[in-house]
Amino acid sequence: MKIRETVRLDHPPETVWPWLVEPARLMRWNERLRRCLPEQPLVAGVRYSTEFGFAGKPATPFWLEVEERIESRRLVLRYRSGPGVTPPVEALERFELVEAGKGGCTLRHQVTIRAEGVPCWARMLIAVISRLGKPSGPHPLIALLAEERN
């Protein structure tokens, strides 16, 4: 299952990049991410312990590893479900920043979720739940970047 979004931002990739790789900032715009340890920028070679919360449910543990990191351009993260999560879930999250002229950029964000042993109806439910609670209107990153600018 793939979930995609594209967001036009009025900031250059270098300004947006910290919001993708610094856990404290990432949690401010991705409200489903409840915890990310250690609290250091996301880099290859470090295994991060994370927790995600969905639709008011208790947080679910995931391990996070950086698959690819090209400064201010591309970040690819791999998530694997933590202890006690059945059936096992794996996700690949890809962020791409593309310069868009006039000092801005486009953020292309894609999440691919693989859950072995999960029936088709449950995957469809996951897709629906993942979209619930998304704010209507502008992407939260737009407001946070504008706030930081001021």
Side-chain angles (χ1 to χ4, degrees):
M1 167 180 40
K2 290 186 182 182
I3 302 167
R4 295 181 183 104
E5 70 178 338
T6 301
V7 182
R8 171 70 169 91
L9 301 166
D10 293 330
H11 303 272
E14 298 76 25
T15 301
V16 178
W17 186 252
W19 289 90
L20 304 180
V21 299
E22 294 176 13
R25 287 184 178 192
L26 186 56
M27 286 187 282
R28 287 185 61 200
W29 69 269
N30 182 349
E31 294 176 359
R32 291 185 179 98
L33 179 59
R34 305 265 173 84
R35 182 175 63 88
C36 184
L37 298 172
E39 293 179 3
Q40 66 181 44
L42 302 178
V43 294
V46 176
R47 189 177 192 191
Y48 296 84
S49 172
T50 67
E51 288 183 354
F52 282 86
F54 296 94
K57 301 287 183 196
T60 304
F62 282 88
W63 295 111
L64 161 65
E65 294 176 0
V66 176
E67 292 270 315
E68 181 180 12
R69 179 182 164 146
I70 301 173
E71 197 73 20
S72 299
R73 289 187 45 218
R74 183 179 309 126
L75 180 67
V76 180
L77 307 173
R78 180 170 305 279
Y79 297 90
R80 290 183 176 88
S81 52
V85 177
T86 55
V89 176
E90 187 172 303
L92 194 67
E93 185 170 30
R94 174 185 298 270
F95 298 96
E96 287 192 58
L97 294 170
V98 180
E99 289 189 34
K102 296 184 182 178
C105 70
T106 298
L107 169 62
R108 295 183 186 140
H109 182 207
Q110 176 179 303
V111 179
T112 304
I113 301 170
R114 201 174 89 227
E116 298 294 325
V118 175
C120 183
W121 66 267
R123 283 189 224 147
M124 292 172 63
L125 182 61
I126 291 168
V128 169
I129 289 172
S130 71
R131 289 176 173 85
L132 290 177
K134 280 197 171 185
S136 58
H139 191 279
L141 193 50
I142 293 171
L144 290 166
L145 285 162
E147 178 183 302
E148 184 178 67
R149 180 189 289 174
N150 297 330

